[in-house]
C-alpha cells in the first residue's frame, strides 16, 4: 500500500468505529475508493435538498449541520462522521452540511458504508448509538468497581440478618449473639424492623445499669436505628457512622432488612483511610488543630480521584468534610460565647447544601434564627458567633465569599419569618438580575442546630414556587445566561485571562448551567431534594422532560464533573492552586469528544427550558 493510503488508514483508525476495523482486510479495500475533498469555509459538503451518497469523515476543519430555514443544529470537528443517516434512508437528507472553516474531508462511498453496516456489529452499533448513548457508554467505561468508595453497601454484607423478637429477654439475646458470633441483633415486631441491640448496648444499658436479665430487649434496644438502602454507597456508610457516632447500620431492600454492616466490616475492606478525616475533625479542641487537619483535604481529594470515585461520591465526601468543619467550629464557638439565647439553625448554601463540593470552593452560608429572636437582646451573641465561625472557616481553607453571602452578614442572619418574607418577595415579584445573584439561596440545607427551621423554610419555598409559575419564567431565563463553550471552530470557546487565557471555566460554562436547569425543573415539580442527581430522578418521575432527557443531563453532569476533578488533581500534583479552568490542549481525545457531547446536551436542554417555562416576561 502506498504512503498516501497508509496515512488515510492511520487517520481513520484513530477514531471509532474504524479503530474496531484496524485488522479487517476490508478496511484497506475501502480506503482505495476514498476520495479526498477540500472545502473552503462556507462551501457545502451536502447541499440542501440534494441526495447524498457519501459517508464523510472530517480529517481536519469543522462542519456545521443546518436544518430547515438554515437553523443551526450542531457542529462537528476533526474525527467526526456525517451522512450516515441519509445513507440509511436511500440518500434522502432533510439537513445540509457546510464547512465553517477550511476543511479536509474523506468521502467514503455509500456501498462501503452499507456493506460494513450489514457485516460488522461494532460498526453498525456505533451509528445506532446517538450522542447521549455514546456518552453513557463512555462514562461506564471509566468507572472502577473495586473501590470501597464506589461499591454498594450490600457488597459488604457477610451474613443474612440475625434478628430476635421484641418480647425476647436480654439473656436470650446475649446467648444468641454468642452462638452466632455477632455483635448486634435486629429487633423485630410483626416482621418489621423496630430496633437494634449491640454489644455496646449490653455493656452500657444492661451490665453497667445492673438490669435483670429477664428484661425484654425492647427496653434496652436502640429504637428506630439509622438504616441504609442496599443500593447506597459504602463510603456513605463510613460518613454516616462518623456523623452519628454509631458502629452498626442495618441494610434494607424494599424496606426489609437483609443484613447489618459494622465498623469491622468497613475496616476489613477499607483501603483509603483518608475518608476518616471527618473523625479527626470532631476530635479537635482548638482552631490550630482544625487548621492542621485542613491541610489534609488536598490529599483526601486526590486519593478519592485516584480511587476512581465518581463525582457524586467525591462531592458527597468533600461536602461532609466541609460540614464537619462547620459543626466543630460552631461547637467550639458555643463553648467560647456561651449557650445560644434562642434556637438557631446554621445553613449551608449552594454546592455544600447539594453535597457537590470539590477541592476548589469558598463558603456560602446563612443563619436562620428562631422567631423568638430579639436583635436588641440577642443580636450581639449571634453576630459574634457568626463572625468567629466564618473567619475560622476561612482559616481552615474555605475562603470568605466574595459576594458576602455568609452568616456574618446581617442580611443573611435573620428570624425564620424574615427568611420566609425574603423568599416570598423574590418569588412573587421576581427580578431577573436579583434572582441570578440570589439563586444560591434556593439550595439550602440545615447542617447544625434546630434543623427543623431549615426544613420549614424549604417547605415554604416549594409552596411559593408552585403557586407562582411566573417566577419559573425568570429562573428559566437565568438558566440560559451561562452558555456551554461551544464555538464555530474545532476549538472550544476560551474565556480565561492572563495565564489562564487558553482555558475555559468548566464550572461556569458546564456544571452551573446544568444545576440551574435542574433547579428550575425541581421547583416546578415540587421536589424536596437538594442534590442535583436526586432532583433529576424526581424530575424524571414527574414527566417534565421527554423520555431519556433526564438521564442525558445526569450523564452530562458526570462527564463534565469528571474532567473538572481530574484537571484539579493534575493541578495539585503540579503544585498549582486548583481552579475550575481547563486547558483543552491538555485534554485527551476521549475527554474532548465526550465533553462536546455533554455540552451539546446542555445547550439543547437550555433551549428546551426556555420554551417549557415561557411566560409573560417583563
Amino acid at each position: 500500500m502506498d504512503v498516501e493510503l497508509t496515512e488515510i488508514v492511520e487517520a481513520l483508525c484513530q477514531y471509532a468505529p474504524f479503530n474496531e476495523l484496524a485488522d479487517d482486510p476490508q478496511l484497506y479495500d475501502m480506503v482505495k475508493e476514498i476520495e479526498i475533498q477540500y472545502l473552503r469555509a462556507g462551501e457545502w459538503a451536502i447541499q440542501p435538498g440534494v441526495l447524498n451518497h457519501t459517508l464523510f469523515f472530517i480529517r481536519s476543519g469543522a462542519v456545521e449541520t443546518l436544518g430547515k430555514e438554515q437553523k443551526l443544529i450542531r457542529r462537528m470537528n476533526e474525527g467526526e462522521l456525517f451522512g450516515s443517516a441519509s445513507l440509511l434512508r436511500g440518500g434522502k437528507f432533510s439537513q445540509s452540511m457546510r464547512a465553517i472553516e477550511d476543511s479536509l474531508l474523506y468521502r467514503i462511498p455509500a456501498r462501503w458504508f452499507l456493506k460494513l453496516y450489514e457485516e460488522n456489529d461494532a460498526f453498525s452499533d456505533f451509528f445506532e448509538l446517538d450522542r447521549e448513548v455514546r456518552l453513557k457508554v463512555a462514562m461506564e467505561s471509566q468507572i472502577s468497581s473495586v473501590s470501597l468508595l464506589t461499591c454498594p453497601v450490600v457488597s459488604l454484607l457477610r451474613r443474612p440478618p440475625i434478628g430476635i423478637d421484641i418480647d425476647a429477654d436480654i439473656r436470650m439475646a446475649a446467648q444468641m449473639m454468642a452462638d452466632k458470633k455477632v455483635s448486634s441483633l435486629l429487633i423485630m415486631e410483626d416482621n418489621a424492623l423496630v430496633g437494634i441491640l449491640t454489644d455496646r448496648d449490653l455493656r452500657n444499658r444492661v451490665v453497667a445499669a445492673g438490669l435483670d436479665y429477664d428484661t425484654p430487649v425492647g427496653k434496652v434496644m436502640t429504637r428506630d436505628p439509622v438504616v441504609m438502602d442496599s443500593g447506597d454507597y459504602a463510603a456513605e456508610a463510613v460518613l454516616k457512622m462518623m456523623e452519628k457516632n454509631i458502629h452498626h447500620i442495618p441494610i434494607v431492600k424494599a424496606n426489609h432488612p437483609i443484613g447489618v454492616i459494622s465498623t469491622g466490616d468497613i475496616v476489613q475492606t477499607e483501603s483509603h483511610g483518608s475518608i476518616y478525616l471527618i473523625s479527626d475533625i470532631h476530635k479537635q479542641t482548638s482552631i490550630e488543630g482544625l487548621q492542621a487537619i485542613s491541610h489534609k483535604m488536598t490529599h483526601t481529594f486526590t486519593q478519592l480521584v485516584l480511587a476512581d470515585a465518581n463525582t457524586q461520591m467525591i462531592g458527597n465526601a468533600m461536602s461532609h468534610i466541609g460540614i464537619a468543619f462547620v459543626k466543630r467550629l460552631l461547637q467550639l464557638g458555643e463553648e467560647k460565647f456561651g449557650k445560644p439565647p434562642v434556637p438557631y439553625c446554621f445553613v449551608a448554601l449552594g454546592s455544600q447544601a447539594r453535597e457537590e463540593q470539590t477541592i476548589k470552593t469558598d463558603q456560602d452560608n446563612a443563619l436562620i434564627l428562631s422567631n423568638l429572636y430579639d436583635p436588641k437582646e440577642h443580636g450581639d451573641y449571634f453576630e459574634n458567633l457568626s463572625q468567629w465561625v466564618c473567619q475560622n472557616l476561612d482559616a481552615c481553607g474555605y475562603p470568605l465569599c466574595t459576594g458576602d453571602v455568609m452568616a456574618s452578614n446581617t442580611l443573611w442572619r435573620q428570624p425564620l419569618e424574615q427568611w420566609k418574607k425574603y423568599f416570598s418577595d423574590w418569588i412573587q415579584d421576581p427580578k431577573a438580575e436579583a434572582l441570578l445573584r440570589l439563586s444560591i439561596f434556593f439550595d439550602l440545607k440545615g447542617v447544625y442546630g434546630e434543623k427543623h427551621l431549615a426544613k420549614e423554610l424549604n417547605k415554604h419555598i416549594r409552596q411559593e414556587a408552585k403557586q407562582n409559575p411566573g417566577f419559573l419564567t425568570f429562573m428559566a431565563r437565568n438558566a440560559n445566561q451561562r452558555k456551554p463553550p461551544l464555538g464555530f471552530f474545532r476549538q472550544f470557546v476560551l474565556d480565561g485571562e492572563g495565564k489562564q487565557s487558553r482555558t475555559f471555566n468548566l464550572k461556569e460554562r458546564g456544571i452551573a448551567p446544568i444545576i440551574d436547569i435542574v433547579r428550575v425543573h425541581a421547583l416546578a415539580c415540587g421536589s424536596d431534594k437538594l442534590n442535583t442527581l436526586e432532583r433529576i430522578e424526581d424530575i424524571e418521575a414527574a414527566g417534565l422532560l421527554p423520555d431519556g432527557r433526564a438521564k442525558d443531563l445526569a450523564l452530562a453532569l458526570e462527564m463534565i464533573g469528571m474532567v473538572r476533578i481530574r484537571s484539579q488533581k493534575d493541578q495539585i500534583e503540579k503544585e498549582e492552586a486548583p481552579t475550575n479552568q481547563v486547558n483543552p490542549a491538555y485534554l485527551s481525545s476521549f475527554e474532548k469528544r465526550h465533553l462536546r457531547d455533554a455540552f451539546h446536551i446542555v445547550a439543547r436542554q437550555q433551549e428546551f427550558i426556555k420554551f417549557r417555562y415561557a411566560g409573560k416576561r417583563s
Side-chain angles (χ1 to χ4, degrees):
M1 183 179 292
D2 61 38
V3 174
E4 184 178 12
L5 294 181
T6 301
E7 182 182 334
I8 294 175
V9 170
E10 290 177 349
L12 289 174
C13 289
Q14 290 182 50
Y15 301 94
F18 298 107
N19 57 347
E20 300 285 346
L21 305 176
D23 298 324
D24 191 334
Q26 290 191 102
L27 178 63
Y28 297 89
D29 293 334
M30 180 194 79
V31 166
K32 293 175 184 177
E33 297 185 31
I34 285 179
E35 294 181 6
I36 298 176
Q37 181 179 18
Y38 177 76
L39 292 179
R40 293 192 178 277
E43 292 184 338
W44 294 104
I46 300 177
Q47 295 186 40
V50 175
L51 288 177
N52 173 52
H53 301 292
T54 302
L55 176 67
F56 292 85
F57 174 86
I58 304 175
R59 179 66 178 88
S60 63
V63 175
E64 63 183 359
T65 303
L66 302 173
K68 294 179 180 179
E69 300 178 357
Q70 299 300 292
K71 183 178 179 180
L72 177 66
I73 296 176
R74 64 174 292 204
R75 299 185 179 95
M76 297 167 291
N77 307 278
E78 181 178 325
E80 295 194 72
L81 294 157
F82 63 92
S84 59
S86 60
L87 296 181
L88 293 172
R89 293 196 299 267
K92 296 179 181 179
F93 211 89
S94 59
Q95 301 166 349
S96 53
M97 311 291 181
R98 180 173 60 192
I100 51 178
E101 61 175 273
D102 293 351
S103 302
L104 186 67
L105 308 178
Y106 292 164
R107 298 173 57 99
I108 301 169
R111 76 177 191 86
W112 275 108
F113 166 75
L114 295 171
K115 179 178 175 62
L116 291 172
Y117 187 90
E118 298 255 344
E119 298 176 0
N120 189 291
D121 289 341
F123 189 84
S124 59
D125 285 349
F126 175 85
F127 292 98
E128 290 175 4
L129 299 176
D130 62 15
R131 175 181 287 112
E132 291 75 17
V133 178
R134 288 206 312 272
L135 183 56
K136 181 176 186 295
V137 172
M139 290 305 307
E140 289 175 346
S141 72
Q142 297 295 296
I143 296 174
S144 167
S145 61
V146 299
S147 170
L148 168 68
L149 298 166
T150 55
C151 69
V153 288
V154 70
S155 66
L156 302 184
L157 294 177
R158 294 187 292 168
R159 60 175 65 86
I162 299 174
I164 194 168
D165 192 79
I166 193 171
D167 295 325
D169 59 40
I170 292 170
R171 181 182 288 103
M172 185 183 300
Q175 187 62 53
M176 181 178 288
M177 291 171 71
D179 292 343
K180 300 291 186 180
K181 297 180 180 179
V182 294
S183 58
S184 67
L185 288 177
L186 298 179
I187 311 303
M188 311 297 291
E189 184 176 24
D190 297 330
N191 292 320
L193 176 65
V194 293
I196 187 171
L197 181 72
T198 69
D199 50 4
R200 187 166 63 165
D201 294 332
L202 291 177
R203 289 195 305 271
N204 297 342
R205 300 175 184 174
V206 179
V207 178
L211 286 186
D212 189 283
Y213 291 168
D214 293 329
T215 304
V217 292
K219 297 288 186 181
V220 295
M221 70 180 184
T222 298
R223 186 170 288 277
D224 299 324
V226 173
V227 301
M228 295 186 69
D229 188 83
S230 58
D232 290 338
Y233 291 110
E236 292 178 71
V238 176
L239 295 170
K240 195 158 286 189
M241 286 177 176
M242 297 299 180
E243 180 183 358
K244 306 290 186 181
N245 191 28
I246 55 178
H247 299 87
H248 300 80
I249 298 181
I251 307 303
V252 299
K253 185 175 183 179
N255 295 320
H256 182 73
I258 59 173
V260 177
I261 62 168
S262 68
T263 50
D265 299 322
I266 296 289
V267 170
Q268 288 186 26
T269 311
E270 167 69 352
S271 59
H272 305 287
S274 56
I275 200 70
Y276 289 97
L277 183 65
I278 291 173
S279 178
D280 291 337
I281 292 170
H282 288 300
K283 294 175 183 176
Q284 300 309 305
T285 58
S286 68
I287 300 303
E288 292 74 22
L290 288 172
Q291 283 181 289
I293 284 189
S294 70
H295 297 303
K296 299 179 182 179
M297 284 194 297
T298 298
H299 176 72
T300 299
F301 174 77
T302 54
Q303 287 298 104
L304 287 165
V305 179
L306 289 170
D308 282 334
N310 61 28
T311 58
Q312 185 177 17
M313 282 308 311
I314 292 174
N316 183 286
M318 297 306 293
S319 298
H320 276 81
I321 290 170
I323 290 170
F325 274 108
V326 169
K327 288 181 176 179
R328 191 62 188 131
L329 282 170
L330 284 162
Q331 289 166 353
L332 294 175
E334 289 182 2
E335 290 177 12
K336 178 180 177 67
F337 298 107
K339 183 179 177 181
V342 295
Y344 73 95
C345 178
F346 194 95
V347 298
L349 303 170
S351 60
Q352 191 171 75
R354 296 190 306 271
E355 298 185 357
E356 295 167 4
Q357 280 190 315
T358 68
I359 193 65
K360 169 64 178 175
T361 184
D362 58 3
Q363 55 177 293
D364 297 296
N365 49 59
L367 212 62
I368 305 175
L369 302 164
S370 162
N371 289 328
L372 299 173
Y373 172 75
D374 182 333
K376 292 181 180 179
E377 290 185 43
H378 313 134
D380 288 346
Y381 175 89
F382 287 108
E383 180 176 3
N384 291 334
L385 178 67
S386 299
Q387 293 282 357
W388 189 84
V389 168
C390 291
Q391 289 296 329
N392 283 303
L393 277 172
D394 180 52
C396 290
Y398 296 90
L400 297 172
C401 174
T402 55
D404 205 18
V405 179
M406 296 178 292
S408 54
N409 183 339
T410 309
L411 274 176
W412 314 129
R413 189 175 65 249
Q414 296 291 333
L416 177 61
E417 285 306 312
Q418 179 58 48
W419 276 108
K420 287 183 177 180
K421 186 176 186 305
Y422 278 162
F423 281 98
S424 293
D425 290 345
W426 296 337
I427 294 171
Q428 293 173 15
D429 185 22
K431 294 178 175 59
E433 185 177 344
L435 286 178
L436 188 61
R437 180 170 53 88
L438 299 169
S439 60
I440 190 172
F441 285 98
F442 288 87
D443 301 334
L444 177 153
K445 177 183 179 180
V447 296
Y448 184 83
E450 301 296 323
K451 296 180 184 178
H452 67 88
L453 295 171
K455 290 181 180 178
E456 188 174 340
L457 181 56
N458 272 319
K459 182 179 178 181
H460 174 78
I461 294 168
R462 292 194 301 272
Q463 290 173 341
E464 286 284 319
K466 198 168 185 180
Q467 294 169 8
N468 292 273
F471 158 72
L472 296 179
T473 300
F474 282 85
M475 292 292 280
R477 182 192 299 179
N478 287 342
N480 273 273
Q481 294 295 308
R482 294 179 279 202
K483 298 293 185 181
L486 295 170
F488 286 93
F489 305 102
R490 287 196 308 275
Q491 307 292 338
F492 293 100
V493 174
L494 306 178
D495 57 17
E497 298 179 355
K499 292 182 179 180
Q500 301 282 354
S501 61
R502 303 298 299 167
T503 67
F504 59 87
N505 191 307
L506 276 174
K507 178 181 178 182
E508 291 297 315
R509 306 295 296 275
I511 294 171
I514 295 176
I515 290 168
D516 291 342
I517 290 168
V518 172
R519 184 188 296 116
V520 177
H521 289 311
L523 288 167
C525 70
S527 171
D528 61 357
K529 304 298 193 303
L530 292 172
N531 179 265
T532 301
L533 290 179
E534 291 178 358
R535 283 174 167 174
I536 288 174
E537 291 177 359
D538 283 356
I539 292 164
E540 183 176 35
L544 292 184
L545 293 174
D547 288 347
R549 295 312 181 200
K551 288 184 174 63
D552 295 346
L553 272 173
L555 289 167
L557 179 63
E558 178 65 18
M559 182 68 221
I560 300 169
M562 179 186 291
V563 174
R564 177 196 186 195
I565 61 175
R566 288 181 177 174
S567 175
Q568 290 177 339
K569 177 192 72 72
D570 292 343
Q571 291 168 340
I572 290 169
E573 290 177 346
K574 295 175 183 175
E575 298 185 353
E576 300 172 356
T579 71
N580 293 309
Q581 300 292 134
V582 64
N583 187 331
Y586 299 144
L587 297 177
S588 67
S589 58
F590 171 92
E591 290 170 323
K592 289 179 183 177
R593 180 180 183 87
H594 294 293
L595 264 185
R596 290 191 187 100
D597 285 348
F599 287 142
H600 277 293
I601 290 171
V602 178
R604 186 161 58 243
Q605 293 282 357
Q606 285 183 320
E607 284 295 308
F608 176 82
I609 202 171
K610 185 165 58 177
F611 293 103
R612 176 69 174 78
Y613 301 102
K616 184 179 179 181
R617 301 183 183 184
S618 55

